[in-house]
Amino acid sequence: MGINIDIRHMRVVLAVLDNGGYTAAAGKLYVSQSSISRTIQEVESSLGVALFRRTTRSVGLTPEGERFVAVARTIVAQFEKGLNHFSGYLAGRSGSVRLATVSSVASTLLPDILSRFCQQRPEVEVSIQDGFSEEILAQVSGGDVDFAVTALHRTPPDLQSETLATDRFVCIFRPDHRFAAMAQVTWADLQDEPIIAFDQKSSIHLQLHELAQKLGISPKALLHVREVNAIGGLVSAGIGVTILPSLLLPTVQFVSLDYKVVRSPVLERKICLVYDALRPLARPALDLMDALRDARDHHMRLPPEARWSKRQGRRAVATPGAGASGRAGTRA
């Protein structure tokens, strides 16, 4: 027959040793001395050895007791550590969050929010997956991430979305470009203009392509580039202009560029919190979603031509229980 000892037994043995006897252990554990004696007898009977050398004045360990206490301390410490971690997980103080987002959000909208969140919950591990919008939505649908913050043109039927912020599409160009002297830039002005375009898989490209078809214009895309830093460098070299959402303006500040909102019409983009309402989420994920919703209340600044949206009614989620022109950077 195997040894039948549980955490309660180990706690009592350690209490007797650490408090110097049965009476003191009983007071520490708020039980009777007879209960302590009975528990020690159960342990020794199960083990088949004596753990303590008893005298009228003290209680000492036998050699077998010393080995048992070493094992018991390790097990009890690990057990308590596990319970503390689980308690923190339930309270949202520990655990992990898997978030998917697009580069324009990851580099501009998220940093301040995540900094505040991580300071308040240092034991929560936040993992960020970035990619194109369609890739991100697939990750949410497939359960690979807890939720996403992404540019959203249309909400997939199996997901829920809440608009957090909106930004405008702006034309970015060199300060010596003809657009700098114009009162405004319209989509028609881009008809024969060389364009450094964003990757064709991106939501930016898809939204611009849809508008161009409606307006009956076909801007000349010289290059399609995935990284916005590369786009900024190419525009700065005079190869062409680019059309980007205003949230990306801070990412091209390493070069001297101007920008204007493209008009007739002004095209806006929605930045949304996207999630599967039927998927249970742990407390850390729910808390980070709330932090994103609450960001506007903390007056977190956004780049020019971007603004926080009005708060929407919070939807149920399963639980386990400024101006038309400006500067995109400083002149060198």
Side-chain angles (χ1 to χ4, degrees):
M1 186 175 180
I3 297 173
N4 186 20
I5 295 175
D6 57 26
I7 289 292
R8 178 183 62 86
H9 289 107
M10 296 181 188
R11 290 188 190 277
V12 170
V13 171
L14 295 176
V16 170
L17 177 63
D18 294 343
N19 292 279
Y22 287 31
T23 301
K28 185 72 173 181
L29 298 178
Y30 302 100
V31 297
S32 66
Q33 184 174 337
S34 61
S35 175
I36 296 292
S37 297
R38 186 165 54 252
T39 301
I40 296 299
Q41 289 173 1
E42 291 173 358
V43 175
E44 293 181 329
S45 176
S46 181
L47 293 173
V49 297
L51 297 181
F52 294 101
R53 294 192 183 98
R54 302 167 181 83
T55 69
T56 57
R57 294 185 178 181
S58 64
V59 174
L61 290 173
T62 65
E64 292 80 8
E66 291 178 356
R67 296 294 297 272
F68 178 80
V69 164
V71 173
R73 285 200 190 280
T74 299
I75 293 175
V76 171
Q78 289 297 321
F79 180 76
E80 291 178 345
K81 181 180 179 180
L83 286 183
N84 287 336
H85 280 310
F86 187 67
S87 176
Y89 164 79
L90 292 178
R93 296 191 304 271
S94 65
S96 62
V97 183
R98 293 173 298 170
L99 162 65
T101 189
V102 290
S103 60
S104 60
V105 173
S107 60
T108 56
L109 188 146
L110 283 183
D112 286 345
I113 299 172
L114 286 177
S115 176
R116 181 189 296 267
F117 180 82
C118 292
Q119 288 175 2
Q120 294 172 345
R121 297 166 179 80
E123 296 183 11
V124 174
E125 179 182 351
V126 180
S127 173
I128 301 177
Q129 305 289 329
D130 71 334
F132 293 126
S133 186
E134 292 300 320
E135 298 169 343
I136 287 169
L137 295 177
Q139 288 180 311
V140 179
S141 295
D144 299 316
V145 297
D146 295 314
F147 62 91
V149 182
T150 186
L152 195 62
H153 198 32
R154 298 182 182 86
T155 305
D158 60 327
L159 300 177
Q160 298 285 349
S161 68
E162 302 172 27
T163 303
L164 298 175
T166 60
D167 62 354
R168 292 176 168 184
F169 281 84
V170 297
C171 179
I172 300 175
F173 47 85
R174 282 167 49 117
D176 58 357
H177 192 277
R178 65 184 181 92
F179 286 170
M182 295 170 58
Q184 64 179 26
V185 175
T186 68
W187 296 102
D189 294 324
L190 299 171
Q191 173 63 45
D192 299 316
E193 192 68 33
I195 303 292
I196 310 300
F198 219 66
D199 194 286
Q200 292 176 320
K201 293 181 180 179
S202 71
S203 61
I204 296 173
H205 172 82
L206 296 175
Q207 192 169 354
L208 290 174
H209 180 69
E210 184 176 296
L211 178 64
Q213 286 186 319
K214 289 181 180 180
L215 297 177
I217 62 174
S218 53
K220 181 172 61 176
L222 291 180
L223 298 169
H224 288 91
V225 184
R226 186 182 181 116
E227 296 295 332
V228 67
N229 289 341
I231 292 177
L234 292 169
V235 174
S236 180
I239 297 175
V241 302
T242 192
I243 308 298
L244 291 177
S246 59
L247 270 181
L248 284 170
L249 284 172
T251 65
V252 294
Q253 288 181 344
F254 68 97
V255 288
S256 179
L257 298 173
D258 283 351
Y259 75 89
K260 282 185 169 69
V261 174
V262 188
R263 300 186 175 277
S264 301
V266 171
L267 181 63
E268 294 190 334
R269 183 182 67 151
K270 294 181 179 180
I271 307 300
C272 299
L273 177 65
V274 185
Y275 54 89
D276 184 346
L278 299 180
R279 182 188 177 192
L281 294 178
R283 175 53 54 189
L286 295 173
D287 286 347
L288 182 52
M289 291 172 69
D290 283 342
L292 288 161
R293 295 182 179 108
D294 295 342
R296 77 205 76 191
D297 299 332
H298 295 293
H299 308 290
M300 291 186 179
R301 297 181 61 183
L302 294 177
E305 309 303 335
R307 67 184 186 277
W308 293 108
S309 297
K310 293 182 179 179
R311 181 184 291 276
Q312 298 174 253
R314 187 171 303 177
R315 304 187 184 187
V317 182
T319 65
S325 65
R327 306 292 301 166
T330 58
R331 293 182 189 268

